[in-house]
Amino acid sequence: MSSRSSPDPPDPALAGSLLGLALGDALGFAVEALDPPEAARYAAGLTAGPLDSSAIRARHPYRAGQYSDDTQQARELLRSIADCGQWQAAAFAARLAALFAAGHDVGAGPGTRGAALRLHAGVSLADAAAPADYAGNGAAMRAAPLGLLFGGERLLAVASEQARITHRHPACAAGAAAIALAARLLASADADPAAIPARVAAYVRPLDRDTASALLEVTALLPLEPGKASARLVRLGLDPLAPREYSGVTAHVLPSVCWALYAALRHADAWPRAVATAIAAGGDTDTTGAMAGAMVGARIGAAALPPAARAVHDRGSWGHDALLQLAAMLRPA
Ligand SMILES: [Mg+2]
């Protein structure tokens, strides 16, 4: 890939992945960590009619359409690549540190926050990441657009390196690579969604065998209705720290990546249904919504996203048009 300053329109898949991520994040952020039945009621409303800005619930103290750290991190990742004309770990780390040091992050988890603040305090790039026993989804939530900029071994390397800045656990790098490759495969017209879990599992196996095994389970989830699929996902016990009482998909990288992939592949050509499915299970809904929204957004392209995509923002700035302009600065190889 390369960066550029020309006013050409953005690549539709790249723009779709970024805006789809932002809208899925903004929709899910409204019900993050609420009881799953409440998330399910809200999600049902997202497919009841045209998905315009009136469908987005506000979350105090923010205006409706506010996206959270998932999109903020994806945005800063892409800005770092646009700045440098290529992937550079130090450039992304600097942007991440600045975002958190300024207190501008919205709803971030402890892994990314801790790493970003350590980077800001001068801890080296190699040492700032969260400890290896923490496997949150912070690196996967921001990774989808990378799949539209890089391919093959280069994508695997960039997805891993950006993950390693904040998360040391190998599942975090593998989860990020899985989401990025799935976005890439979904954007290619000839990809069969049902074949994607096996392809993604094989791709990330060198990074983490447990992640590969979990991704293979998504093939078996796909024919199941969401209620049965989420129950089966819980029984897999992918998050060792999950509460005994089900309260939604946790922020552990494995269940959240698998659930987002299930939702995206089950409704690969129907963005509102994919994101509603991701959110309806409850839990870490901003991130499952963001990941599913980014993957399906890559497939359908920015112009086919619901009208609500015009309403996303970060405290009144970095909205729809600015995100499109950012995507236009980047050109897939
Ligand atoms: Mg978030």
Side-chain angles (χ1 to χ4, degrees), residues 184-284:
R184 184 175 187 83
L185 292 173
L186 278 166
S188 62
D190 59 340
D192 171 14
I196 286 178
R199 291 180 68 179
V200 171
Y203 185 68
V204 306
R205 187 170 290 279
L207 296 175
D208 184 48
R209 298 178 70 86
D210 290 346
T211 304
S213 301
L215 289 164
L216 281 176
E217 297 286 348
V218 177
T219 306
L221 297 183
L222 279 178
L224 303 179
E225 290 298 316
K228 288 188 173 150
S230 62
R232 181 168 173 152
L233 186 73
V234 168
R235 282 200 303 276
L236 290 174
L238 298 172
D239 178 357
L241 300 177
R244 294 167 74 103
E245 191 87 353
Y246 179 74
S247 55
V249 178
T250 73
H252 189 285
V253 64
L254 292 188
S256 55
V257 163
C258 286
W259 186 249
L261 190 60
Y262 163 82
L265 297 180
R266 208 170 145 82
H267 302 292
D269 295 295
W271 195 96
R273 293 197 63 175
V275 170
T277 299
I279 292 173
D284 196 12

Side-chain angles (χ1 to χ4, degrees), residues 25 29 32 59 67-73 106-109 137 141 284-287 290:
D25 177 6
F29 182 59
E32 181 188 8
R59 172 167 158 182
Y67 54 71
S68 77
D69 63 312
D70 307 51
T71 309
Q72 293 178 316
Q73 291 184 53
V106 174
N137 53 19
M141 64 172 66
D284 196 12
T285 48
D286 57 322
T287 297

Side-chain angles (χ1 to χ4, degrees), residues 47-258:
T47 54
L51 183 45
D52 57 27
S53 59
S54 67
I56 313 178
R57 192 188 289 182
R59 172 167 158 182
H60 184 75
Y62 303 103
R63 256 198 313 119
Q66 171 75 46
Y67 54 71
S68 77
D69 63 312
D70 307 51
T71 309
Q72 293 178 316
Q73 291 184 53
R75 180 188 76 203
E76 298 307 305
L77 179 56
L78 294 184
R79 289 179 79 193
S80 77
I81 294 170
D83 289 346
C84 303
Q86 60 182 318
W87 159 246
Q88 281 196 5
F92 175 50
R95 285 202 163 274
L96 209 54
L99 175 75
F100 282 81
H104 291 162
D105 57 295
V106 174
T112 304
R113 173 188 302 281
L117 294 178
R118 282 189 288 277
L119 286 165
H120 182 68
V123 175
S124 78
L125 208 53
D127 296 326
D133 58 354
Y134 179 80
N137 53 19
M141 64 172 66
R142 61 190 181 225
L146 295 175
L148 289 309
L149 290 176
F150 307 98
E153 289 299 309
R154 182 67 182 147
L155 176 57
L156 201 65
V158 174
S160 308
E161 286 170 26
Q162 67 84 25
R164 183 63 179 71
I165 293 171
T166 50
H167 296 74
R168 218 175 292 260
H169 196 296
C172 301
I179 292 292
L181 181 69
R184 184 175 187 83
L185 292 173
L186 278 166
S188 62
D190 59 340
D192 171 14
I196 286 178
R199 291 180 68 179
V200 171
Y203 185 68
V204 306
R205 187 170 290 279
L207 296 175
D208 184 48
R209 298 178 70 86
D210 290 346
T211 304
S213 301
L215 289 164
L216 281 176
E217 297 286 348
V218 177
T219 306
L221 297 183
L222 279 178
L224 303 179
E225 290 298 316
K228 288 188 173 150
S230 62
R232 181 168 173 152
L233 186 73
V234 168
R235 282 200 303 276
L236 290 174
L238 298 172
D239 178 357
L241 300 177
R244 294 167 74 103
E245 191 87 353
Y246 179 74
S247 55
V249 178
T250 73
H252 189 285
V253 64
L254 292 188
S256 55
V257 163
C258 286

